[in-house]
Amino acid sequence: GISIVAADLMLAVWAGGTYQIAVPEWLDGAVTLPVITAVRSNGASVFLTYPFYRIAVLAAAIVIGIGLWLMLNKTRIGMMIRAGVDDRAMLSASGVNVHAVFAIVFAVGAGLAGFAGVVGGSALSVAPGEDIRYLLASLVVVIVGGMGSISGAAIGALLIGLAEQLGLVYFPTYGVVLTFIIMVVTLAIRPQGIMGKSR
């Protein structure tokens, strides 16, 4: 149908190649962190250098996460969103336009997804088929963290991200298995996720 035509059109325009979005010049370069990675034979310390762009991405993620948490827990629209998730019919009966509330939620989510795509395209590469990888990682993060919890999603993302990177360092062939082991253990011990509520 329409999705196949759209996919064919995108392949015709971008030719199915791999793309790298350039990092802005003001975010390019490395920063020396106060973390000692080695000591030379003459006694001089070697400090860790880390890309400034990745530090900026981490800071942006923390700010966005705190902003979302504050919006959901401290504002009127957040109260309506939480009420709509729990009992849509009751929220509608109290005179709130539920469709408008969920349209706002969709717009915020779509905007954040687009922002994440640009950020991810700069840190990694953009290629056909990459969407499946990120969707699968997102699913694992939500399962581990707990559905409907921003703090759970943050904890899940931290656990899965660290597990993925440690797996790539210590056993590259089976690194991705570590994330699924964490998911299985979480489902066995706490099926609703680390911060999820049992219903």
Side-chain angles (χ1 to χ4, degrees):
I2 296 171
S3 60
I4 295 171
V5 172
D8 288 341
L9 182 63
M10 286 180 12
L11 281 173
V13 172
W14 287 293
T18 301
Y19 293 91
Q20 182 78 38
I21 299 171
V23 175
E25 284 185 20
W26 62 279
L27 286 174
D28 207 5
V31 177
T32 303
L33 299 176
V35 178
I36 298 172
T37 56
V39 178
R40 292 197 175 100
S41 58
N42 62 0
S45 299
V46 178
F47 292 95
L48 175 68
T49 56
Y50 201 76
F52 180 61
Y53 177 74
R54 297 213 175 220
I55 294 172
V57 168
L58 175 64
I62 291 169
V63 168
I64 290 169
I66 291 170
L68 283 174
W69 184 85
L70 288 172
M71 185 190 85
L72 275 177
N73 292 292
K74 304 293 181 185
T75 64
R76 183 175 171 78
I77 186 77
M79 183 179 65
M80 288 190 283
I81 291 167
R82 286 183 285 121
V85 169
D86 289 338
D87 195 343
R88 187 179 295 199
M90 185 60 75
L91 181 66
S92 182
S94 65
V96 175
N97 186 343
V98 178
H99 295 295
V101 170
F102 282 95
I104 291 168
V105 172
F106 180 81
V108 170
L112 288 174
F115 178 70
V118 172
V119 169
S122 301
L124 307 165
S125 59
V126 180
E130 286 291 295
D131 53 340
I132 303 298
R133 185 179 141 208
Y134 297 121
L135 281 172
L136 188 60
S138 302
L139 177 68
V140 173
V141 164
V142 170
I143 289 171
V144 170
M147 201 111 144
S149 169
I150 289 180
S151 53
I155 292 167
L158 193 62
L159 278 175
I160 297 303
L162 285 171
E164 215 172 84
Q165 293 307 309
L166 288 172
L168 287 171
V169 170
Y170 292 109
F171 33 94
T173 310
Y174 305 105
V176 73
V177 176
L178 194 57
T179 61
F180 291 106
I181 290 171
I182 292 171
M183 183 180 76
V184 169
V185 169
T186 303
L187 286 173
I189 296 170
R190 195 173 163 84
Q192 69 268 29
I194 293 171
M195 300 293 286
K197 295 176 183 174
S198 55
R199 293 179 182 264

